[in-house]
Amino acid sequence: MNVLMAAPEAFPYAKTGGLADAAGALAAELAKMNNRVLLVMPFYRTVKERFPARFFGGPFEVSIGEHAFIGSLYRHENAVFIGCDQLYDRPELYGTPSGDYPDNAVRFIFFSRGIFEAARVCGFKPDIIHCHDWQAGLAPAYLENIYRRDPFFSGTKSVFTIHNMGYQGVFRAEVLPLSGLPPDIFNPEGIEFYGKVNFLKAGITWADIVTTVSPTYARQIQTPEYGFGLDGVLRRRADRLRGIINGIDHRLWDPARDRYIPENYSAPKNLTGKGVCKKKLSSLCGFEDASRPLVCFVGRLSHQKGSDLAAAVAGEAVAEGVNLVFLGKGDEPYQLELEALGEKYPKNLCVRIGFDEEFSHLVYAGSDIFLMPSRYEPCGLGQMIALRYGAPPVATDTGGITDTVRNYLPLSGAGTGFLFAEASPASLRQSLWYALCVYRGAGRWRGVIRNAMAEDFSWRKSAERYVEVYREAMGI
Ligand code: ADP
Ligand code: GLC
């Protein structure tokens, strides 16, 4: 089948988080399964600078309010990029640490309309337009309200995947006329959200099928605690809502073949390389005593990820004999909090602010324990990568973490990590201390590592589930 994958970021082209990994890997896996896949995303500066994408089509014009924006298409392998320098040629994808770009509504109205232009120029008649997150949320609305009348798209169905309810693309009401969507959709059954316009809600409302990235999160978001104000809308669409867990790209994330780590390793027999990785990481971090257990955090620095909870227990953890590495980028207050910790404990705590894909491989490989104290977690890739690299997670029992980490059971020795129910410093501390006790009983720890590394998180099963969902959307 013909699948147009519309994503605001996709690996390897542009990445701020797991959405990029998920969209990139799913597109690749579907192609391997003999589907025709066209990945469509904005032509950001980072793509322009790093990939030899060729001019492919255009110009095309999209009127947004009074203004006519001119777009062009660029192509690299199976990806088509929607170019408009005025909107996308910027240092970041969505905003800087101090806030979102003020014209994000316009940027992603243009993207959502550009998706249809791209399909037409490529002569790619999609059976499915698979849209990801609020940035592509208007596309299902355009399909239903505008393009449905166009014979080129008459057979097209849409699937909308929610990667995070915490980011909805909510803009003032004046944005609706800019979008070119009919004004009568501004009502609570449509795009309206407390007097504003909500792009995520548009995706949920008009997609033929809505998915999110784990079964547990699919249940959670139908409750007020996790629905961020859209739980009612999701309950209304419950019969069309599915939870499909992400995978990780086993070729990219494989300690036995990873090019970014000093020595490869695999379970159960050949684990010595992991010690070499730990040594290298410890020396890069300037740790005085590399024999201490090494605990890491890798992730966006945001309220969701709970880096502040990890920061709250860091001092005590250092006192308990631990070395800590933080790799992250995100909101300024969290960055400053971590940097201050780094200065306070230079011999035992290393903070790297920034997005560093290559270094992240060494962090996963060189660490003994992975911290993931998320306040909520739609799926989470960090914990799956950590499991594969033999760094059992100490993590909140929520969303996709619940679906991928098995809590350690001391009597049977089963389990892959250490889960706690409430995202608080006290619960995190308790779980981390417990993990450290198991770590110090060396034989048991090797068992946990073996269990962790034996898990299979490859994309195939999840991609097959998506194909089922596409078929369901198409009514076949
Ligand atoms: P989210 O998408 O919510 O940010 P996930 O756990 O799904 O979280 O995915 C995060 C992905 O981004 C993982 O691949 C993780 O390794 C990577 N990542 C997060 N922060 C950084 C960073 N500062 N440097 C390198 N990789 C990072
Ligand atoms: C989001 C979520 C994360 C998920 C990722 C990919 O950014 O926060 O939990 O793994 O998308 O689906």
Side-chain angles (χ1 to χ4, degrees), residues 430-449:
Q430 200 179 11
S431 256
L432 177 58
W433 270 216
Y434 179 38
L436 289 168
C437 288
V438 180
Y439 175 86
R440 291 193 165 116
R444 285 166 167 252
W445 190 253
R446 271 195 296 279
V448 186
I449 290 189

Side-chain angles (χ1 to χ4, degrees), residues 17-19 22 133 163-164 213 246 300 304-305 377-381:
L19 160 61
D133 272 357
H163 293 264
N164 197 326
V213 288
N246 290 323
R300 277 185 297 115
Q304 176 195 347
K305 299 291 174 184
E377 197 59 73
C379 174
L381 304 179

Side-chain angles (χ1 to χ4, degrees), residues 9 15-21 163-164 167 246 248 253 297-302 304-305 326-330 352-361 364 370 372 374 376-385:
E9 56 183 88
K15 167 168 165 177
T16 66
L19 160 61
D21 296 293
H163 293 264
N164 197 326
Y167 301 85
N246 290 323
I248 52 173
W253 297 107
F297 174 98
V298 179
R300 277 185 297 115
L301 303 179
S302 67
Q304 176 195 347
K305 299 291 174 184
F326 286 87
L327 169 62
K329 179 175 169 184
R352 275 262 191 124
I353 300 296
F355 197 93
D356 192 336
E357 183 82 27
E358 183 170 338
F359 185 57
S360 76
H361 285 245
Y364 288 112
F370 180 75
M372 198 156 175
S374 306
Y376 68 93
E377 197 59 73
C379 174
L381 304 179
Q383 82 282 12
M384 291 192 248
I385 300 171

Side-chain angles (χ1 to χ4, degrees), residues 167-181:
Y167 301 85
Q168 300 188 357
V170 177
F171 302 100
R172 49 197 174 75
E174 293 74 46
V175 157
L176 184 62
L178 301 185
S179 72
L181 285 162

Side-chain angles (χ1 to χ4, degrees), residues 24-91:
L26 176 59
E29 196 66 41
L30 289 168
K32 269 201 262 164
M33 291 158 70
N34 290 328
N35 297 288
R36 282 183 69 212
V37 182
L38 188 69
L39 176 66
V40 179
M41 56 180 285
F43 199 34
Y44 300 112
R45 181 180 299 172
T46 174
V47 182
K48 266 174 94 165
E49 286 178 349
R50 294 181 307 123
F51 293 89
R54 296 241 171 109
F55 176 78
F56 185 67
F60 63 88
E61 188 183 303
V62 175
S63 296
I64 302 185
E66 311 273 274
H67 208 92
F69 288 86
I70 308 296
S72 312
L73 300 173
Y74 298 83
R75 186 156 194 159
H76 182 257
E77 296 173 358
N78 288 335
V80 166
F81 302 98
I82 298 177
C84 178
D85 283 354
Q86 201 180 340
L87 299 176
Y88 305 128
D89 186 9
R90 301 190 186 175

Side-chain angles (χ1 to χ4, degrees), residues 121-132:
V121 171
C122 297
F124 186 91
K125 238 185 194 181
D127 296 307
I128 294 288
I129 297 188
H130 186 168
C131 308
H132 296 265

Side-chain angles (χ1 to χ4, degrees), residues 303-324:
H303 182 74
Q304 176 195 347
K305 299 291 174 184
S307 64
D308 53 317
L309 305 177
V313 306
E316 286 170 87
V318 167
E320 275 289 321
V322 159
N323 285 339
L324 276 154

